[in-house]
Amino acid sequence: MATGLTVRVRPRPACAAPGTVPRPGVRGGRTRHRLAAALLVAVLAATGCAGPPESSAPPAAPTGAADDAPTSGIDVLFLSMMVAHTEQTRQIVRLGLDRTADPEIRTLIAAIEVTEADELSTMRGWLRDAGPSAVAAAARHDHSGHSDAVAGLARLRAAPAGEVDRVLLDVLGAHQRTAARLAAAQLSAGTSARVRELARRIEQSRTAEVALMAKLATAPPSGP
């Protein structure tokens, strides 16, 4: 803790006496923030992302921003990686639309493209609201280690015509499961109500999409 700051504010030791409860928002709040950050970073590592932005400090809130502006480091980290993840989703979907002729699959992935384009616009806007450091963090975020998308796109491009639908559902299903896990981690770690609400919608929608894709994968092929 900053001892000089404590002395200037009040003439008593900065640390509480043994057995007392830490003041809310100071040591306890910082500890909870570190634990939340560790949780989200652990999920990032498990899903193959390169890691958090270089600075873990929350960017400063812009003048006139709403009370719930997504300015915490945890929220910026989530938005940054979901922007990158969503861009990859759209690459898979566009390639899928080029290759599949199954009407049910086309309907599903076209709806995914529309939904995620809207989410992408929202997330980029919130990052801009959070300030230049948040935008820079998003630009730095390296999602190239996300092998389910990189390798999946290669599989989808190389799939023979008779295997396209199966490969597409497998690749996109794996990608959306990762999105659901990242969103679930944000629900546990996030600080912004509006970012947590977005994470809740992402977790629910991706989970439902994965379930629907699993059914499509076992259904008889539809006619053109």
Side-chain angles (χ1 to χ4, degrees), residues 151-164:
L153 282 164
R155 285 180 58 204
L156 186 54
R157 291 187 187 100
E163 294 291 312
V164 166

Side-chain angles (χ1 to χ4, degrees), residues 16 18 38 43 48 55 64 78 123 152 169 174 181 203 215:
V43 173
S55 173
F78 173 73
M123 291 186 291
L169 293 173
R181 288 197 298 269
E203 194 274 336
K215 289 182 180 179

Side-chain angles (χ1 to χ4, degrees), residues 27-42:
R27 176 169 294 181
R30 290 173 182 169
T31 300
R32 286 191 297 273
H33 180 81
R34 291 190 191 101
L35 290 174
L39 172 64
L40 197 52
V41 170

